[in-house]
Amino acid sequence: MKGNPFVYYLDQYNVLSPNHSKIYDEYTIDPNNKDAYSFTIETKIEKTLINIFESNPQSIILTGNAGDGKTRLCRIVHDYFNQNKLENWPENGIVEFAYSKGIIRIVKDLSELKEDIIKKELTQLQRVINTTNEKNVFYLIAANEGKLTKFLSQHEDLSDLQNEVTSRFRSHENNSKQFSIFNLLDVTSSVYVEKVLSEWNETDHWDACQTCPQQARCIIYMNHERTSQNYIRNKIVEQYKLLDYLDTHITMREMLIHISYMLTGGYNCDDILNANYKEIENQTKRPYYQNFYGHELDENSFSEMKALKVFKALDPGVYSHSSIDDFIINGDINGDLESEKAHNALIGDSLDLQLGYFKKKLTLYRDYDIDKDHSIVEQWIPKLRRKYFYETDSEDSVKANQLLPFEYVDDYKLLFDNPKAQSQSKKDMINGLNRIFSGRLTEVNNKHLFATNKNLMIYEYFRAKDVDIEEEAERMDLDRIPSKFKISVRSEVYLNMNLAVFEYLMRASGGGTHNVLQQEAEILIDTFKNELIRISDPEDYELNILRYNNQTGLFIDDEISLL
C-alpha cells in the first residue's frame, strides 16, 4: 500500500533522514516537478522590499542567520519584476536586471563570493550611496552580519560604508532613503508558527490517511489530529512566544524542521506500515508533546536541531507541581465528578498512552506496586505533565502554565498595550531592583528607586515618576510582534527588560529564589545599577544609607548628617 505523499514531503525536513534537503529556498520550489507540494508563507518584509523598489528605490542589505530566508526574499524580488521566474541561481550568485526605475543588482549571498568580488561589489555599493547614483543602480545584498562587518573593518577605503552599516545595525530607525539594512534576526519566531501548523494540518493533505488500515496505530496521524485542535495549536504558538519574550531567535528553516519533527517524530509512512509489534510500541513514545522537546532522541540529534536545544529549557515535564501531579495519579478516584471527567479525558485508551497500557499500570501502581514500580514517577509522570500542559483546556483545572519555569509569564503578557498593568508592576520592579542592587531585603518602598550597591550607601533617590516602562514599538516593515520593554530613568539610563529580567525582578521583589536565567539578567541589571550611580548627584552634607531595622527585619533608608 502507498503512503501519504504529504508525509513524505514532511520527511524532507527531517535532518536525520537521507531525504533531508539543506537549503530552505530550494526545497520549497521544485521546478522539475510541477505536481510537487509546495507552500509559501507571506511575510511583511517581502512586501516592504517590493514596495521600496517600486516606489522609492534604494540599496538594501538583508542580514540574518542561515535559514532566515534571505535567498528566498532575493528570489521573490527577482520574480516580481521579471516575467521569467528564476529557477536556478547563476554560479556567481549575482543577478542583474533592468526595470522601470533603473537596475536592480541582486547578490544572493555575500559570504559565498571570493574576497576580490566582495571588495568590488561593496565598493560599488559605497559609490552608489555616496553619489547621486545617476545610473539608478540599486543593490539587494544578502549577507551574514559578522562576515560583513569584519570585511568592512579590514578595508579602510570602505570606512564610509562601514559607518553607514554600523549605524543601521545599532538601530533600524537609522535606515534612510538611500540605504537600508533589514536584519531578519529582528523577526519574532512565533509569527509564522500558527500559519505553518494551519497549512500543514489542512484536511486535504491527510485525505490519503482515511483509507489506511494502520490509521488507528499511526502516531503521525494522531499528532496531526491533536495539533489541529485550536487550544493545542495555541499552546504551541505560546511556547514559541516565550522565545520571543526571551530574545531568542529561531530561523524559518529551524522552525520548519522542528514543527515537522513534532508531527512525524522522524517517521514516515513506510515506518508505520511495516512496523512490527516492538516498533509500534517505540512509535507510540513519540506523541507531539514529547517530540516538541526532543524526548526519545539521542544527544547527537540535538546538535542538528537548534530549536530542540532551546525548548529543552522550557520543558513543562521537568517541573513538579503537587496539584497537577496529584491529579495525574489520583484524579479519577478523588470523589470529584469534574475531576474524574477531566482525568478520563486526559488519561484514556489513546495511542500515546499505549492503548490503555498506562491506565492499567496506574491501577497496579496505586493498589499493589507502589514501592516497586518507579517507572510511573521517573518516566510517565514527566510525560503526562507535558500532556496535561497541552491538552487540559478546562477553566476548573489547575493552570498548566504553572509547569513552566517562569512564575510571572502571565503577568508579563498582561503588560503589553496595558498602561495600567505597567503602572502596577512598576512598584514591584522598583522593589526588586532595590533588593538586587543592595543584596538585602529592603523595605517595600513604592516611591523611590535607590541608586545603591552592596556598600549600602544611597547615591541618589529616584522618584517613581522618574521611572518609566517603555513598550517596544510595533514595526510595520517586517514581522515583529512587540516582545520586550525598557525601564527608563529620567530618559537617561535604560534597562532592557525581556521576560528573563522581568521574572528576576519580580522574584526578587517577592523575596523568592532566582530563576534559571539568573546570570543573563544579573549582567544587565548590574550595568544598569552602575549607570544609575554614574548619573547620581549625592547630597554634600548628608549621607544616605540603608539601615537594618530590628523590628521589621528589613533594611530601610536613613540619612546621617555630616554637619
Side-chain angles (χ1 to χ4, degrees):
M1 178 181 175
K2 290 183 179 180
N4 185 342
F6 182 71
V7 172
Y8 293 107
Y9 165 80
L10 292 178
D11 192 47
Q12 68 182 332
Y13 292 91
N14 177 10
V15 293
L16 308 178
S17 162
N19 299 323
H20 173 59
S21 301
K22 294 291 184 184
I23 304 172
Y24 169 69
D25 174 60
E26 301 305 331
Y27 65 67
T28 54
I29 300 169
D30 185 357
N32 298 317
N33 185 357
K34 303 303 180 184
D35 297 324
Y37 170 81
S38 66
F39 83 106
T40 58
I41 302 172
E42 286 192 1
T43 62
K44 281 186 179 179
I45 182 61
E46 65 191 61
K47 295 178 181 178
T48 296
L49 293 175
I50 290 170
N51 182 60
I52 287 174
F53 285 119
E54 264 190 332
S55 307
N56 301 291
Q58 58 174 276
S59 289
I60 294 170
I61 292 179
L62 296 173
T63 63
N65 291 338
D68 268 319
K70 300 186 297 296
T71 303
R72 174 177 172 269
L73 289 169
C74 289
R75 180 192 293 275
I76 286 172
V77 170
H78 174 278
D79 290 354
Y80 183 85
F81 291 104
N82 288 274
Q83 289 185 343
N84 297 323
K85 305 298 182 185
L86 181 64
E87 293 188 352
N88 295 295
W89 289 94
E91 190 174 338
N92 65 0
I94 299 175
V95 174
E96 183 177 287
F97 59 87
Y99 79 122
S100 60
K101 301 287 185 177
I103 296 171
I104 297 178
R105 187 169 176 83
I106 300 177
V107 181
K108 86 161 178 117
D109 192 342
L110 199 71
S111 61
E112 290 181 354
L113 304 180
K114 294 180 180 178
E115 297 281 314
D116 58 327
I117 303 298
I118 295 176
K119 178 67 182 300
K120 176 185 173 184
E121 297 300 329
L122 292 183
T123 300
Q124 175 64 14
L125 173 60
Q126 180 174 258
R127 188 179 302 117
V128 165
I129 295 171
N130 285 344
T131 65
T132 56
N133 191 19
E134 294 177 356
K135 294 184 179 180
N136 290 331
V137 176
F138 306 107
Y139 268 92
L140 176 60
I141 298 176
N144 173 276
E145 179 182 344
K147 178 71 179 283
L148 175 63
T149 53
K150 181 180 179 181
F151 189 89
L152 290 173
S153 68
Q154 293 172 338
H155 295 83
E156 290 186 10
D157 54 337
L158 292 174
S159 60
D160 287 350
L161 181 58
Q162 182 184 10
N163 292 335
E164 298 288 344
V165 167
T166 301
S167 170
R168 285 155 180 78
F169 277 136
R170 194 177 299 120
S171 172
H172 70 278
E173 293 178 353
N174 294 325
N175 285 341
S176 68
K177 293 182 179 179
Q178 285 74 40
F179 175 49
S180 293
I181 290 181
F182 294 99
N183 191 343
L184 299 182
L185 294 180
D186 291 336
V187 171
T188 43
S189 305
S190 65
V191 174
Y192 308 125
V193 177
E194 185 170 6
K195 297 178 183 178
V196 173
L197 279 172
S198 297
E199 169 63 28
W200 283 0
N201 279 323
E202 280 287 339
T203 54
D204 290 352
H205 303 325
W206 302 88
D207 283 346
C209 299
Q210 304 311 315
T211 56
C212 177
Q214 293 298 321
Q215 187 196 83
R217 299 289 189 273
C218 179
I219 194 69
I220 301 173
Y221 189 77
M222 190 209 81
N223 289 338
H224 151 65
E225 282 194 312
R226 299 279 178 86
T227 59
S228 296
Q229 298 178 59
N230 287 335
Y231 68 94
I232 292 178
R233 183 176 62 199
N234 291 340
K235 281 281 190 179
I236 293 167
V237 173
E238 284 296 316
Q239 284 285 275
Y240 266 87
K241 282 185 178 179
L242 281 183
L243 300 189
D244 299 339
Y245 298 149
L246 294 169
D247 287 333
T248 301
H249 177 75
I250 296 293
T251 69
M252 182 83 79
R253 182 192 303 165
E254 289 161 348
M255 182 264 292
L256 292 171
I257 289 169
H258 181 234
I259 298 300
S260 171
Y261 179 76
M262 182 189 73
L263 288 171
T264 68
Y267 297 118
N268 59 37
C269 293
D270 292 340
D271 300 315
I272 304 298
L273 292 169
N274 299 322
N276 58 33
Y277 176 80
K278 186 63 180 176
E279 288 166 343
I280 291 174
E281 181 184 349
N282 288 332
Q283 290 167 7
T284 64
K285 296 176 182 178
R286 294 198 179 177
Y288 70 95
Y289 52 82
Q290 291 286 91
N291 299 340
F292 195 92
Y293 304 98
H295 293 283
E296 308 299 329
L297 273 177
D298 58 54
E299 287 299 318
N300 292 332
S301 303
F302 271 82
S303 64
E304 296 292 328
M305 300 187 197
K306 181 188 173 187
L308 292 181
K309 292 188 286 186
V310 174
F311 282 116
K312 195 172 184 180
L314 306 176
D315 186 350
V318 174
Y319 304 97
S320 175
H321 189 284
S322 57
S323 297
I324 293 174
D325 289 356
D326 181 62
F327 170 79
I328 291 170
I329 297 295
N330 302 309
D332 58 333
I333 59 172
N334 62 10
D336 181 80
L337 291 178
E338 287 299 320
S339 175
E340 291 178 13
K341 182 179 178 182
H343 191 275
N344 290 330
L346 184 73
I347 299 174
D349 300 333
S350 57
L351 183 63
D352 53 323
L353 298 182
Q354 296 183 22
L355 305 173
Y357 172 72
F358 172 74
K359 211 170 184 180
K360 295 175 183 177
K361 194 176 181 71
L362 180 60
T363 300
L364 290 172
Y365 172 78
R366 288 191 303 221
D367 295 346
Y368 308 108
D369 232 1
I370 194 163
D371 295 322
K372 298 178 183 178
D373 188 355
H374 297 291
S375 70
I376 288 281
V377 175
E378 295 171 359
Q379 299 172 21
W380 283 96
I381 296 298
K383 177 178 178 178
L384 285 161
R385 287 182 195 136
R386 296 178 196 105
K387 184 175 172 68
Y388 181 96
F389 178 79
Y390 285 99
E391 297 185 7
T392 299
D393 190 39
S394 171
E395 293 182 2
D396 298 326
S397 304
V398 179
K399 284 189 175 181
N401 274 359
Q402 294 185 67
L403 289 170
L404 295 174
F406 298 98
E407 294 178 19
Y408 296 95
V409 63
D410 291 331
D411 300 274
Y412 187 76
K413 289 190 285 188
L414 281 175
L415 296 179
F416 290 96
D417 199 27
N418 191 339
K420 183 178 179 181
Q422 293 173 18
S423 178
Q424 291 172 338
S425 291
K426 183 169 74 170
K427 299 174 183 179
D428 293 319
M429 293 181 214
I430 289 175
N431 186 47
L433 286 167
N434 287 337
R435 291 184 167 185
I436 294 167
F437 287 171
S438 63
R440 306 293 196 280
L441 275 179
T442 56
E443 188 178 39
V444 176
N445 188 321
N446 295 332
K447 295 181 180 179
H448 293 100
L449 172 65
F450 304 137
T452 185
N453 55 26
K454 290 178 176 58
N455 66 17
L456 304 187
M457 173 181 169
I458 300 174
Y459 295 87
E460 186 166 349
Y461 295 91
F462 296 98
R463 295 172 300 175
K465 72 176 187 177
D466 293 328
V467 181
D468 292 314
I469 309 300
E470 300 179 6
E471 183 174 338
E472 175 186 9
E474 184 178 2
R475 289 184 63 173
M476 305 307 296
D477 54 348
L478 50 73
D479 289 298
R480 181 172 183 85
I481 298 173
S483 56
K484 59 184 179 180
F485 302 83
K486 281 183 181 178
I487 298 178
S488 165
V489 179
R490 292 181 184 167
S491 299
E492 292 183 70
V493 176
Y494 300 90
L495 171 64
N496 289 321
M497 186 178 73
N498 61 10
L499 174 59
V501 174
F502 178 76
E503 178 85 9
Y504 189 67
L505 295 180
M506 297 298 282
R507 290 199 185 194
S509 177
T513 56
H514 302 313
N515 72 327
V516 291
L517 298 169
Q518 173 182 352
Q519 185 175 7
E520 175 193 341
E522 278 186 339
I523 293 170
L524 291 171
I525 292 172
D526 198 48
T527 302
F528 180 60
K529 173 192 69 181
N530 293 335
E531 285 296 300
L532 283 179
I533 292 174
R534 181 184 61 79
I535 68 168
S536 296
D537 185 18
E539 294 290 340
D540 291 333
Y541 300 105
E542 288 180 1
L543 182 63
N544 296 299
I545 63 168
L546 287 169
R547 175 178 61 81
Y548 182 70
N549 185 324
N550 288 318
Q551 294 180 331
T552 63
L554 301 173
F555 282 77
I556 61 174
D557 60 303
D558 202 351
E559 63 181 45
I560 300 172
S561 175
L562 300 178
L563 292 175

